Amino acid sequence: MPNGLHRRLTIKTGKLRYIDPGKPRQNAFIESFNGSVRAELLNEEMFDSLDDARRKLALWRYDYNNVRPYSSLANQAPAEARRTLEQFEGSTPGALAKIDNQNHENQTRRFSS
């Protein structure tokens, strides 16, 4: 981690927490995501080039975030659940992370064509 970022995070939070070596279960969310990427994309696809890999990853990511329903989100896709929460933004200001939609959409469009 760059020293400047490490210093800022330490000042803001008081300390940094790392995942212990050999203990990936300390971050179950990323392990679940990594398992999905591995099972649904990496084990199923053959990549002809770096551009082909980027295109297939962009399509998979779009499906993962915009099409696939999740039981933890009342059987909604993450994008749909976000739109639902945005309707109630006044009751929980700042609850949603700010995203750069235009950049993401441009990347997805570029890789999927």
Side-chain angles (χ1 to χ4, degrees), residues 30-47:
I30 195 64
E31 286 304 309
S32 175
F33 176 77
N34 287 345
S36 295
V37 170
R38 193 177 308 108
E40 299 169 15
L41 180 70
L42 300 177
N43 289 345
E44 299 294 323
E45 298 286 345
M46 295 290 289
F47 305 112

Side-chain angles (χ1 to χ4, degrees), residues 2-3 7 12 16 19 24 38 52 55 67 75 99 104:
N3 285 336
R7 191 176 314 114
K12 185 171 183 154
L16 289 180
I19 295 174
R38 193 177 308 108
D52 183 45
R55 183 182 60 80
V67 178
N75 290 319
I99 57 174
H104 172 71

Side-chain angles (χ1 to χ4, degrees), residues 10-75:
T10 304
I11 291 169
K12 185 171 183 154
T13 63
K15 62 181 175 178
L16 289 180
R17 294 183 176 215
Y18 294 98
I19 295 174
D20 294 328
K23 306 244 183 211
R25 290 194 175 121
Q26 291 178 350
N27 189 344
F29 294 109
I30 195 64
E31 286 304 309
S32 175
F33 176 77
N34 287 345
S36 295
V37 170
R38 193 177 308 108
E40 299 169 15
L41 180 70
L42 300 177
N43 289 345
E44 299 294 323
E45 298 286 345
M46 295 290 289
F47 305 112
D48 298 326
S49 65
L50 184 56
D51 285 337
D52 183 45
R54 287 178 176 153
R55 183 182 60 80
K56 288 176 179 174
L57 177 59
L59 292 171
W60 182 86
R61 187 177 58 214
Y62 178 83
D63 179 71
Y64 188 85
N65 289 321
N66 295 288
V67 178
R68 177 188 313 198
Y70 292 86
S71 60
S72 63
L73 298 174
N75 290 319

Side-chain angles (χ1 to χ4, degrees), residues 96-112:
L96 297 173
K98 304 297 180 216
I99 57 174
D100 182 8
N101 256 350
Q102 185 177 6
N103 185 33
H104 172 71
E105 289 174 7
N106 287 342
Q107 281 183 338
T108 303
R109 199 171 295 118
R110 183 180 56 181
F111 293 135
S112 64

Side-chain angles (χ1 to χ4, degrees), residues 80-92 95-96:
E80 185 180 356
R82 182 183 178 89
R83 285 190 296 273
T84 301
L85 285 175
E86 285 174 339
Q87 292 175 358
F88 303 104
E89 178 69 28
S91 63
T92 56
L96 297 173

